[in-house]
Amino acid sequence: MSDGSPPAPIPGARLLFSLDPGVSYLNHGSFGTVPIGVQRAQQRLRDEVEANPHRFHTQGMVDRIIHTRRHVATFLGADPDGSALVPNTTTAVSLVLQSVRLEPGDEVLLTDHGYGAVALAAQRRCRRQSATARTVALPLGATDDEMLSRVRAALRPGKTKLLIIDQISSATATAFPVRKIAAAAREHDIPVLVDAAHVPGMLPVDVGAIAADFWVGNLHKWAFAPRGTALLSVAPAWRRRIEPLIVSWEQEQGFPLSVEFQGTLDYTSWLAAPAGLFTLRTLGWEAVRSHNAALVAYGQRVLGAALGAAPADLPQPTHPDLAMRIVPLPPGLATTMPEAVALRHHISDKLATETAVNPWNGRGLLRLSAQVYNRAEEYDRLAERLPPLLASYRRS
């Protein structure tokens, strides 16, 4: 684990991206960034489409999707025949929720670290079925054993029909012991959906070894794929129950093709995803992970100190390779989502710096990301300029 010192930059890495040099982009975790080489790979595919749209969509399209899926699934340790390419984690969550049978009185269990859109999807599904979306609270900085114990205690055999757990949470940058949690739920025949939106490209993962009923991760965050690329892996017992949100020509093929093929869409983001994995391997994935973890640790340390936070008040990572960390904001700032959005925009406009700001249990959290294009001086600059900005912002 990093000691908080900044790492040496990876030579040439910054030149692989087309980011605005006038902006400190410290928010890779929200939307990712697509390397120039991957942008060009996707553009070549788009050129191919426009040269002959009919041929592109009707001759070999399905085979190309299958080939890409196999490439991506193998990288993640997932079963290619039991996985489907989908646009994003949010889409996969809705697919799973509609496939799990809920009756009045049943419940879907989530944690208070979960992504807001996932909670909204669960609430809507439960509302339609007269079921309940229930949330279990997990303390910030809890150990793996504490998280496992609290989730296990919250399970209600016979009533809990689905547990949704993050592998890395978005707002709190916390890694969860999903393999142990899935095993605990399996003791009571409770299916588990692992929201691994931030995992591909950030952490090594063996999806098969996690043994969750459902696992979904975005490739367009940390694996350098074009946006709109994710993989949903489904355990054998559930595959015949997965129905696409939109019915198209591969419906009779069943999962995964029935989910993947949806007629006239832009599939080029999926087909260019292997170019993103190639970029990651070319840089050296271990070097990337080590660099990013060390750099974000440095950023958390200098920004936390600038905001007057004691080292003990800075949540430490629950996995050594995490490339995101959080810094608690002064009390009273960004305690609601509208306030967090307004502050994030203010930081962007006034400091030319992109960060993530989220409310969590009545406290505003600033989440830092680190990627190979970032430099220590960007965090130093934010640490120097953010405190006076926040002081004036509170007075306004």
Side-chain angles (χ1 to χ4, degrees):
M1 186 174 294
S2 170
D3 62 0
S5 300
I10 296 177
R14 176 64 181 84
L15 300 176
L16 298 177
F17 300 87
S18 54
L19 288 164
D20 183 347
V23 174
S24 291
Y25 201 82
L26 308 181
N27 189 22
H28 185 92
S30 284
F31 302 104
T33 50
V34 183
I36 294 170
V38 182
Q39 295 178 39
R40 290 174 176 169
Q42 185 179 19
Q43 187 57 52
R44 286 193 294 271
L45 288 162
R46 287 173 170 161
D47 291 342
E48 183 184 346
V49 175
E50 299 310 325
N52 191 332
H54 185 274
R55 183 180 185 86
F56 184 90
H57 283 280
T58 62
Q59 295 190 33
M61 168 58 71
V62 170
D63 290 339
R64 293 172 82 167
I65 290 174
I66 292 173
H67 175 77
T68 301
R69 183 216 308 152
R70 290 188 178 281
H71 188 108
V72 170
T74 300
F75 172 75
L76 297 171
D79 178 3
D81 295 324
S83 302
L85 292 165
V86 292
N88 48 47
T89 298
T90 306
T91 300
V93 169
S94 290
L95 275 166
V96 172
L97 283 168
Q98 78 163 9
S99 302
V100 174
R101 184 175 181 180
L102 293 176
E103 296 182 350
D106 289 341
E107 69 174 24
V108 173
L109 183 64
L110 309 98
T111 82
D112 59 350
H113 292 250
Y115 191 60
V118 171
L120 290 173
Q123 291 162 8
R124 186 184 73 167
R125 172 66 173 159
C126 288
R127 186 167 57 248
R128 290 177 171 178
Q129 305 304 127
S130 298
T132 301
R134 186 165 62 90
T135 301
V136 55
L138 303 175
L140 195 61
T143 65
D144 284 1
D145 287 344
E146 290 170 336
M147 289 189 279
L148 175 61
S149 176
R150 285 182 178 245
V151 172
R152 187 194 296 272
L155 297 173
R156 295 176 178 175
K159 290 181 65 68
T160 306
K161 300 301 182 181
L162 180 67
L163 167 64
I164 302 179
I165 192 81
D166 292 80
Q167 191 164 354
I168 302 173
S169 61
S170 179
T172 62
T174 298
F176 288 79
V178 291
R179 185 173 180 175
K180 293 180 179 179
I181 290 173
R186 195 160 52 246
E187 294 172 2
H188 304 290
D189 294 323
I190 296 172
V192 175
L193 165 59
V194 175
D195 178 349
H198 287 275
V199 170
M202 187 197 294
L203 300 185
V205 62
D206 184 343
V207 172
I210 293 172
D213 300 85
F214 313 98
W215 182 99
V216 59
N218 290 328
L219 277 294
H220 55 244
K221 288 184 181 288
W222 298 91
F224 296 148
R227 289 168 201 91
T229 307
L231 189 81
L232 169 64
S233 180
V234 178
W238 286 94
R239 292 171 190 173
R240 296 185 65 180
R241 295 185 246 183
I242 297 292
E243 290 289 342
L245 299 175
I246 298 171
V247 175
S248 192
W249 290 104
E250 299 297 325
Q251 173 68 14
E252 298 305 313
Q253 297 294 326
F255 183 85
L257 275 176
S258 61
V259 166
E260 292 173 324
F261 188 82
Q262 296 183 20
T264 308
L265 293 181
D266 184 353
Y267 297 98
T268 61
S269 61
W270 295 357
L271 301 184
L277 297 181
F278 176 80
T279 303
L280 192 60
R281 292 188 178 105
T282 300
L283 287 168
W285 192 21
E286 290 187 6
V288 169
R289 294 201 309 270
S290 176
H291 171 276
N292 293 348
L295 185 56
V296 79
Y298 174 80
Q300 182 195 45
R301 180 171 64 80
V302 297
L303 187 60
L307 293 177
D313 296 331
L314 298 175
Q316 296 304 298
T318 46
H319 190 287
D321 288 337
L322 285 184
M324 301 188 300
R325 291 202 187 191
I326 59 172
V327 177
L329 291 168
L333 282 175
T335 60
T336 67
M337 184 55 74
E339 291 175 358
V341 171
L343 179 57
R344 185 174 71 236
H345 290 169
H346 191 67
I347 293 171
S348 175
D349 292 341
K350 299 300 183 181
L351 302 185
T353 300
E354 299 297 343
T355 63
V357 180
N358 295 291
W360 189 77
N361 288 353
R363 186 71 183 268
L365 302 178
L366 187 147
R367 190 193 72 200
L368 295 173
S369 297
Q371 189 48 274
V372 295
Y373 50 75
N374 292 126
R375 296 292 182 266
E377 52 266 29
E378 294 179 287
Y379 304 90
D380 293 335
R381 188 161 53 246
L382 180 61
E384 177 184 353
R385 300 173 65 191
L386 185 61
L389 179 83
L390 294 181
S392 64
Y393 186 77
R394 299 185 72 168
R395 293 193 299 268
S396 63

